[in-house]
Amino acid sequence: MKLQDIQTALREQKFDAWLFYDHHHRDPIAYRVLGLRGDTLVSRRWFYLIPAQGEPRKLVHRIEAGHLDSLPGAKDAYSSWQELWEKLKQMLAPCQTIAMQYSPNNLIPLISLVDAGTIELIRSFGKNIVSSGDLVARFEAVWSEQQIASHFAARDTIDKVVAAAFQEIGRRVRNGGTNEYEIQQWITDAMARENVVTEDPVIVGVNEHSADPHFEPRSDLHSPITEGDFVLLDVFGKKKTPDAVYYDITWTGFVGKNPSERHHKIFNIVRDARDTAIKAVQTASTAGRKLAGWEVDKAARDHIAQAGFGEKFVHRTGHSIGTSIHANGANMDGLETKDERAILPNSCFSIEPGIYLGDFGVRSEINMLVRQGAAEVTGKIQQELVLI
């Protein structure tokens, strides 16, 4: 646990404290930020308070009194619910504004982990509960230099595998045929040979399946890939090393030499929306202007709406990337939520606008890494449909 850094962040945010709470491992963020083991039995509630200044404090049940012993601070214990309420009230007495894993109106579901009853209890003590969203992003979504290096290492493999996958599709189509599931497995095997792993299956979608943003081919659910088909590849992975982070891209192509005018039109609109969002991030970063995730979403979404396809862009523009494919930093989202969290230096996220029609869909996904005063796309950028 980075106690000094957490307390510095609390003072910068003008919060009096960050209160962590868990019961039955409901809050994985607490375990990661505090550096606690995640395999212990937690059948009783515990609380851990980090004040902006001074010593942390612990409150644990007497039959699980050792749960927080790895952390600094004074410990108190309870048995009855009445004792819990009284000691929690005493522990929080010096604090007024307290951050918790809470999101007003559940706007950020990944952060909104504390149950409503616990929030009600702490508010009954006269406390002001605020979201820990920006704090979580600072300690979960900001990368070390080692993690940044792992991202580029994954990029080197995945960019190469995606290019080779399009070639493999063409070779197989013209030599007996193939299908979505076979290509998915080929991509997974190719990445594994380069020590790149993924927590979810990569996406290979043909024609109407490319219009389903989260379609996953299976051995019992897949379509053949043939001449004249539209193909979407969404490929993501990370190096099989400690604390490695993901690289995540989506490219589209056409099996043959003559995509339709409609294919080209939709691809160009999505590409230009992507580039509009990229420019918004780079302009703000260069100017040193704070940028929220919803603003990036708006830049891409406005472009697609102006082209007449706003209703066909059915998901957020991008997501935070970390050791999990969907991490706890700012998402590029003004649709599913209004993500007002700031994009932080040394954080990474996807930009992936899409248009999904009945017979095919286009998504163009890149990753952006923001530094202090600069922002870059970390991999290759697709400018035209791949002719397979």
Side-chain angles (χ1 to χ4, degrees):
M1 178 185 62
K2 301 176 180 178
L3 177 58
Q4 291 184 345
D5 291 342
I6 290 173
Q7 291 184 313
T8 297
L10 286 168
R11 291 192 292 270
E12 290 175 356
Q13 295 281 334
K14 295 182 169 49
F15 298 161
D16 295 321
W18 190 351
L19 180 62
F20 295 86
Y21 152 74
D22 190 50
H23 184 225
H24 287 286
H25 295 281
R26 292 178 181 176
D27 183 4
I29 292 173
Y31 288 83
R32 292 192 298 266
V33 172
L34 298 176
L36 294 171
R37 289 180 55 173
D39 58 354
T40 54
L41 173 66
V42 182
S43 66
R44 304 297 191 277
R45 290 168 285 182
W46 60 253
F47 292 85
Y48 187 68
L49 183 74
I50 300 180
Q53 299 188 61
E55 184 183 34
R57 296 188 62 184
K58 315 170 194 180
L59 182 59
V60 294
H61 196 281
R62 287 188 175 88
I63 70 168
E64 293 177 350
H67 272 340
L68 303 181
D69 282 358
S70 63
L71 301 177
K75 179 169 70 176
D76 204 348
Y78 72 94
S79 293
S80 70
W81 65 266
Q82 296 96 333
E83 190 179 16
L84 168 63
W85 286 19
E86 183 58 33
K87 290 192 172 183
L88 184 59
K89 184 177 181 179
Q90 293 172 8
M91 185 169 76
L92 300 178
C95 309
Q96 181 58 40
T97 300
I98 301 170
M100 296 188 74
Q101 269 73 281
Y102 150 79
S103 178
N105 301 313
N106 194 27
L107 270 179
I108 313 297
L110 284 170
I111 299 298
S112 199
L113 299 174
V114 179
D115 63 276
T118 299
I119 295 292
E120 288 172 353
L121 174 62
I122 294 171
R123 283 179 172 161
S124 76
F125 301 151
K127 306 304 177 183
N128 177 33
I129 306 298
V130 294
S131 176
S132 64
D134 284 332
L135 293 169
V136 171
R138 181 161 174 171
F139 293 99
E140 287 245 290
V142 173
W143 291 356
S144 67
E145 291 301 320
Q146 180 180 353
Q147 287 178 311
I148 291 172
S150 80
H151 174 79
F152 285 112
R155 173 207 64 186
D156 292 344
T157 293
I158 291 173
D159 278 353
K160 180 175 64 176
V161 167
V162 168
F166 282 120
Q167 294 179 341
E168 184 68 12
I169 291 169
R171 185 186 70 80
R172 292 191 183 198
V173 166
R174 294 169 181 89
N175 290 277
T178 189
N179 60 57
E180 295 163 323
Y181 181 71
E182 289 178 349
I183 297 302
Q184 179 202 61
Q185 297 306 298
W186 185 92
I187 291 171
T188 301
D189 292 344
M191 292 197 302
R193 288 193 294 271
E194 298 291 333
N195 203 35
V196 171
V197 296
T198 178
E199 60 197 29
D200 295 306
V202 303
I203 296 173
V204 179
V206 175
N207 299 331
E208 67 272 13
H209 286 164
S210 68
D212 178 352
H214 278 181
F215 171 75
E216 293 183 6
R218 305 193 308 259
S219 60
D220 62 341
L221 178 64
H222 57 262
S223 294
I225 305 176
T226 61
E227 192 81 18
D229 284 345
F230 190 90
V231 180
L232 179 147
L233 302 181
D234 187 342
V235 183
F236 38 85
K238 64 179 180 178
K239 282 291 186 178
K240 196 176 180 180
T241 54
D243 294 323
V245 293
Y246 271 82
Y247 178 69
D248 178 14
I249 58 171
T250 304
W251 282 52
T252 48
F254 179 81
V255 184
K257 297 181 180 179
N258 297 300
S260 69
E261 182 179 340
R262 188 159 164 262
H263 287 145
H264 282 299
K265 176 183 177 180
I266 298 304
F267 175 85
N268 289 344
I269 294 170
V270 171
R271 176 199 63 196
D272 293 347
R274 177 203 69 198
D275 290 348
T276 299
I278 291 171
K279 184 177 180 181
V281 175
Q282 292 177 328
T283 299
S285 297
T286 301
R289 181 175 71 83
K290 180 180 178 181
L291 188 67
W294 71 266
E295 295 178 272
V296 182
D297 179 82
K298 186 177 188 302
R301 195 167 304 281
D302 284 354
H303 182 90
I304 289 177
Q306 288 164 10
F309 292 93
E311 292 184 357
K312 301 300 182 180
F313 182 12
V314 296
H315 57 72
R316 63 193 175 197
T317 292
H319 59 83
S320 172
I321 297 173
T323 55
S324 296
I325 187 65
H326 295 131
N328 275 330
N331 294 320
M332 308 304 107
D333 191 1
L335 176 71
E336 300 173 48
T337 71
K338 187 178 182 183
D339 200 326
E340 297 180 337
R341 290 176 292 177
I343 297 171
L344 301 177
N346 280 18
S347 67
C348 183
F349 50 88
S350 69
I351 290 180
E352 48 181 303
I355 294 176
Y356 304 96
L357 307 176
D359 54 339
F360 79 103
V362 176
R363 183 167 63 256
S364 184
E365 179 180 13
I366 56 86
N367 299 166
M368 289 204 77
L369 175 64
V370 173
R371 301 279 200 162
Q372 194 70 47
E376 63 178 302
V377 175
T378 60
K380 294 181 179 179
I381 305 176
Q382 183 176 11
Q383 299 295 350
E384 303 288 345
L385 284 172
V386 176
L387 299 183
I388 304 170

